[in-house]
Amino acid sequence: MLQKLQAMIYQIQEDGSMPTLITPYGEHSISAILFDKDGTLLEFVSLWGSWGECFLARFSRQLEEHGLEFPAQHLASLLGTVHDAEGRIIDYDRNGPLAMGTMNDLYAILSWQGYLLGLSWAESMELTDRCRQEADALMEQSKPVLPLPGLLHFLEECAAEGIPLAVVTADETAAAENHLRWLGIRGYFSAVIGTDQVERGKPFPDMALLACERLGIQPAEAAVIGDTNGDMRMAKAAGVAVAIGIASNAAAEAAAAAATARAGASSSPAGVNAAATERAAGSSRAADTRPVRSLLPDADCLVQSYAELGIGRIAR
């Protein structure tokens, strides 16, 4: 990776060209890219659905051992998750605690529930910590991580152009490092910034600013790619060049369904996919992106996959 960065510097000195991030909405001259992790690099539900199911099941069981019962119908609202009839987590609230909160936020939420049900605060914290250890151990064993479609090719494009990359995540740094290694992509990133490294997490700019400092660039030279509006607000607060929201087809379809329900009209997932195709072709986007825009109102650019992004070079 160091050799590729040196090659990029040499090329800039030789021909004055700069990397450019190509999007359906235009091209942006950049020096680096900052990625959120969960839902942006790896499929959110593959990892956090498994973790959440394990955590909540053990939390309920621990309460039962204390003679307490948490109402099953309220379990989903604790972390902002969507469950099927068998209790499996199949989706999540992009602006909810599991997507936006720190690990300490999640532990505090669970501890508070135990306290409300009659445990002392100390007992509830101990119960929550036992659940955490069991859930973490299961994840370490199963490593349930999957990359987003098109990610590996896009990372290769960035590496080929010597573009320095960083991860800025609400997760803790050590856990983020593990997840990147499980995916086999740790080597692409020059810096990994977890929420434990800064005073304020997303949507504040601290992580983005620290990542830019570590990469040796100005924030205005960076792009941010994320899947929540907290990522977009962090990007705007840091003053980056462009904030790109990535919404999977499932997220886009969910947003479209919600928009349809509010409007009292009918639509289909196929319409959402067609809209994505039109955006990739550079056609009119105002109506097409409206449902997804409700998920990421502060994004400069909305895409549904990395196939809509590319890397090139422009002369300075």
Side-chain angles (χ1 to χ4, degrees):
M1 184 62 72
L2 178 60
Q3 290 177 334
K4 290 178 179 178
L5 292 177
Q6 290 171 335
M8 180 189 74
I9 294 172
Y10 177 78
Q11 181 171 1
I12 292 172
Q13 292 172 339
E14 283 291 298
D15 61 19
S17 66
M18 287 290 289
T20 180
L21 178 60
I22 303 168
T23 81
Y25 295 73
E27 300 182 3
H28 302 270
S29 178
I30 59 165
S31 296
I33 303 176
L34 314 181
F35 295 81
D36 169 54
K37 176 174 66 76
D38 303 314
T40 301
L41 295 175
L42 60 87
E43 291 188 3
F44 192 97
V45 173
S46 69
L47 175 64
W48 293 107
S50 298
W51 183 88
E53 289 170 15
C54 178
F55 200 113
L56 292 174
R58 280 153 176 75
F59 180 73
S60 296
R61 190 181 66 199
Q62 290 279 343
L63 287 176
E64 289 174 2
E65 291 178 2
H66 285 79
L68 303 171
E69 182 178 357
F70 190 84
Q73 68 270 26
H74 294 157
L75 280 175
S77 64
L78 284 181
L79 304 180
T81 49
V82 178
H83 300 240
D84 65 13
E86 286 72 42
R88 291 187 296 265
I89 294 176
I90 58 174
D91 204 354
Y92 63 102
D93 177 4
R94 273 72 182 169
N95 295 310
L98 191 59
M100 290 287 297
T102 66
M103 298 309 294
N104 284 336
D105 291 337
L106 302 182
Y107 304 148
I109 290 171
L110 271 295
S111 295
W112 175 243
Q113 300 308 312
Y115 177 71
L116 288 179
L117 289 171
L119 296 178
S120 72
W121 184 247
E123 288 174 322
S124 191
M125 289 179 65
E126 290 170 352
L127 182 152
T128 299
D129 189 62
R130 285 195 295 273
C131 295
R132 175 195 64 79
Q133 292 181 40
E134 292 180 16
D136 288 352
L138 180 63
M139 295 302 99
E140 186 68 38
Q141 180 180 4
S142 61
K143 298 179 175 56
V145 292
L146 295 171
L148 257 66
L151 170 68
L152 300 181
H153 177 73
F154 182 71
L155 292 178
E156 277 296 321
E157 278 194 275
C158 294
E161 292 296 338
I163 299 173
L165 310 177
V167 174
V168 287
T169 173
D171 204 353
E172 296 174 354
T173 305
E177 294 271 8
N178 273 341
H179 300 159
L180 296 175
R181 281 192 288 268
W182 293 351
L183 276 176
I185 62 174
R186 176 61 184 88
Y188 288 104
F189 300 98
S190 302
V192 177
I193 309 298
T195 192
D196 53 302
Q197 296 191 47
V198 295
E199 182 178 350
R200 302 175 300 174
K202 302 172 186 178
F204 298 101
D206 301 33
M207 280 194 284
L209 295 176
L210 180 57
C212 290
E213 180 183 332
R214 296 269 176 89
L215 297 180
I217 66 164
Q218 295 298 314
E221 302 174 69
V224 165
I225 302 179
D227 73 318
T228 73
N229 205 50
D231 298 315
M232 304 300 99
R233 292 177 68 84
M234 173 193 69
K236 294 299 179 65
V240 306
V242 60
I244 297 174
I246 185 162
S248 67
N249 287 343
E253 290 167 8
T260 298
R262 287 193 298 270
S266 62
S267 66
S268 69
V272 177
N273 292 329
T277 302
E278 291 179 14
R279 284 199 297 279
S283 61
S284 174
R285 307 171 183 87
D288 298 335
T289 62
R290 191 163 46 204
V292 185
R293 174 65 64 182
S294 68
L295 288 175
L296 298 159
D298 293 308
D300 297 318
C301 171
L302 292 168
V303 299
Q304 289 192 26
S305 80
Y306 284 99
E308 297 179 54
L309 301 175
I311 301 295
R313 282 195 171 270
I314 57 175
R316 288 195 298 179

